[in-house]
């Protein structure tokens, strides 16, 4: 099974002491949007796959609901 880690956004509303995102200043980096349907279609050729959504706080990503629908999550 193919495993993908998708860093949706480095935005986060927490300041966890163990997290390195704030130490590196990643929460200030630009957010990019991706055509998730194209990713889904490309990944389908590998059969089964698992996507872990990560980054800062994935639920703060503005398109998280559309992403979940597009990838079948």
């Amino acid at each position: 099974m193919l495993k993908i880690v998708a860093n949706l956004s480095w935005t986060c509303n927490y300041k966890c002491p163990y997290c390195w995102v704030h130490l590196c200043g990643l929460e200030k980096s630009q957010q990019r949007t991706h055509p998730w349907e194209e990713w889904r279609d490309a990944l389908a050729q590998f059969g089964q796959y698992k996507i872990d959504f990560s980054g800062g706080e994935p639920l703060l990503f503005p398109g998280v609901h559309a992403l979940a629908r597009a990838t079948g999550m």
Side-chain angles (χ1 to χ4, degrees):
M1 177 187 294
L2 180 66
K3 182 177 177 184
I4 302 291
V5 177
N7 294 312
L8 301 181
S9 168
W10 293 113
T11 303
C12 187
N13 52 346
Y14 297 111
K15 299 272 189 210
C16 301
Y18 57 83
C19 184
W20 48 268
V21 169
H22 298 291
L23 294 174
C24 298
L26 288 173
E27 74 277 10
K28 296 175 185 137
S29 64
Q30 274 192 326
Q31 189 167 286
R32 296 178 199 72
T33 56
H34 300 281
W36 295 106
E37 292 81 7
E38 290 180 23
W39 276 95
R40 177 201 58 214
D41 297 344
L43 291 171
Q45 69 180 318
F46 295 102
Q48 285 189 324
Y49 62 89
K50 177 182 178 184
I51 301 176
D52 288 338
F53 298 121
S54 189
E57 171 50 62
L59 295 176
L60 292 177
F61 179 68
V64 73
H65 292 84
L67 167 62
R69 281 191 304 274
T71 56
M73 298 291 144

